[in-house]
Amino acid sequence: MNKTKYSHAENDKILDIWEEFSIKNGDGKIERDGVAYKGCIHTFPGADEKVYHEREVGNEESAWNNSDKRILFVAKELNDPNNPYDSRVVITYDPKNGIAPTDKFLKSMLYITKGLMESTADKVAEFNRDESMDNIMSTWDKSAVAKINVKKQPGGSVSDMAEIDSYMQTYRDLLKRQLLLLNANIIVCCDNKTTILSTIKQLVYPEALQLNDEVWYDECSKTLLIESYHLSAWTKSYEDKYNRVISNYADALAKINA
């Protein structure tokens, strides 16, 4: 397993090559992703005259490299056609100025991150629908969290899995390089058992063993691969999405420690 410490600069080198390759292939510009920014909030007007909020770079590189739990959420693609924005900047919270996460995917990430941070082999952190956003964001800002998409060119509201699979194969070497640089030890695959987990396992963790219906474990790197619902799914509640990941995570820890 790669021992290189994560940095935004090294991650951006991979993304620069990825974008050059993508443009050459006729796939266009790509989004930027990786370890989530945890710095101050920057507010600015968009070209569409709406007001936008972004996090700036903070101390997240050090937090990531020194954390015992490095949580990576892996999704399919941005659902914002023709807008390959930087997804590292998006989770912002400032109640005094009325800024709070509203996107279903992002809120699901927040809940699940809190559950992963608070759960152990002996304790499943229960979902609390009344948990204050202050508490949730406090945990988020102290956690080492990254989020990437396997297809970095934005898509539409519904993902074409044949296209996603084709993209993962075309850019597999770059995806592997990004995964190795991140070196996460908890990887949540947000595609409800399609192909993301199997591709990551094949690329980086071929020796991972299945611990339960939803979790695989690579003993050499001490990495857990966890299946999840798509975190934007309207048919599943925040509690459903949370419970599927957290209950299986705690079960896997108990089996590893048995």
Side-chain angles (χ1 to χ4, degrees):
M1 186 61 61
N2 182 34
K3 299 300 182 182
T4 302
K5 285 186 176 293
Y6 175 88
S7 71
H8 297 312
E10 288 301 314
N11 186 58
D12 281 337
K13 288 179 184 178
I14 296 170
L15 297 176
D16 287 342
I17 296 169
W18 202 317
E19 181 160 270
E20 183 179 356
F21 187 23
S22 179
I23 291 172
K24 183 178 179 180
N25 283 346
D27 292 331
K29 292 186 176 181
I30 67 168
E31 66 154 324
R32 298 276 152 160
D33 55 19
V35 173
Y37 293 170
K38 301 290 182 65
C40 297
I41 297 174
H42 171 62
T43 300
F44 63 98
D48 55 5
E49 299 184 354
K50 294 181 180 179
V51 176
Y52 290 89
H53 313 284
E54 295 181 346
R55 295 292 287 268
E56 298 176 350
V57 173
N59 67 344
E60 62 279 344
E61 288 180 341
S62 175
W64 180 268
N65 288 314
N66 292 290
S67 178
D68 292 332
K69 291 187 178 182
R70 299 179 302 281
I71 304 166
L72 171 62
F73 291 88
V74 185
K76 292 178 274 193
E77 62 183 359
L78 292 177
N79 299 129
D80 194 351
N82 305 314
N83 183 20
Y85 60 81
D86 191 330
S87 64
R88 295 172 291 189
V89 308
V90 297
I91 293 191
T92 58
Y93 179 65
D94 181 1
K96 292 181 180 178
N97 292 297
I99 304 170
T102 57
D103 179 86
K104 286 180 100 47
F105 193 104
L106 299 182
K107 286 188 72 173
S108 294
M109 281 177 58
L110 294 174
Y111 285 122
I112 291 170
T113 295
K114 193 169 193 300
L116 290 170
M117 293 302 295
E118 296 180 354
S119 294
T120 66
D122 302 314
K123 170 194 168 188
V124 178
E126 299 293 332
F127 180 81
N128 179 5
R129 62 175 53 86
D130 298 319
E131 188 84 62
S132 73
M133 187 54 66
D134 283 336
N135 289 343
I136 294 170
M137 287 302 302
S138 176
T139 299
W140 171 266
D141 280 345
K142 292 182 290 188
S143 303
V145 188
K147 185 257 184 181
I148 66 171
N149 285 307
V150 294
K151 177 178 176 290
K152 300 197 188 301
Q153 181 183 2
S157 58
V158 178
S159 297
D160 181 336
M161 283 313 303
E163 184 177 71
I164 300 292
D165 292 344
S166 175
Y167 195 97
M168 282 195 288
Q169 293 308 311
T170 300
Y171 299 91
R172 61 187 288 116
D173 292 341
L174 290 162
L175 177 60
K176 180 178 180 177
R177 284 181 61 182
Q178 190 179 34
L179 290 166
L180 286 171
L181 176 65
L182 285 163
N183 191 26
N185 55 14
I186 302 172
I187 302 177
V188 182
C189 300
C190 312
D191 66 341
N192 196 26
K193 287 192 174 180
T194 51
T195 58
I196 288 178
L197 190 147
S198 61
T199 299
I200 292 175
K201 181 178 179 294
Q202 179 187 58
L203 288 176
V204 185
Y205 308 100
E207 303 302 318
L209 300 177
Q210 190 168 5
L211 297 183
N212 58 39
D213 286 345
E214 311 284 354
V215 182
W216 281 252
Y217 179 61
D218 181 72
E219 186 172 7
C220 180
S221 63
K222 310 299 183 188
T223 300
L224 289 164
L225 308 173
I226 308 172
E227 293 278 12
S228 168
Y229 294 118
H230 190 295
L231 298 188
S232 294
W234 289 92
T235 57
K236 300 296 179 181
S237 67
Y238 290 119
E239 185 170 3
D240 290 335
K241 297 167 192 173
Y242 177 97
N243 285 339
R244 180 176 179 183
V245 172
I246 302 306
S247 63
N248 283 294
Y249 169 70
D251 175 72
L253 289 182
K255 288 176 177 175
I256 293 168
N257 294 335

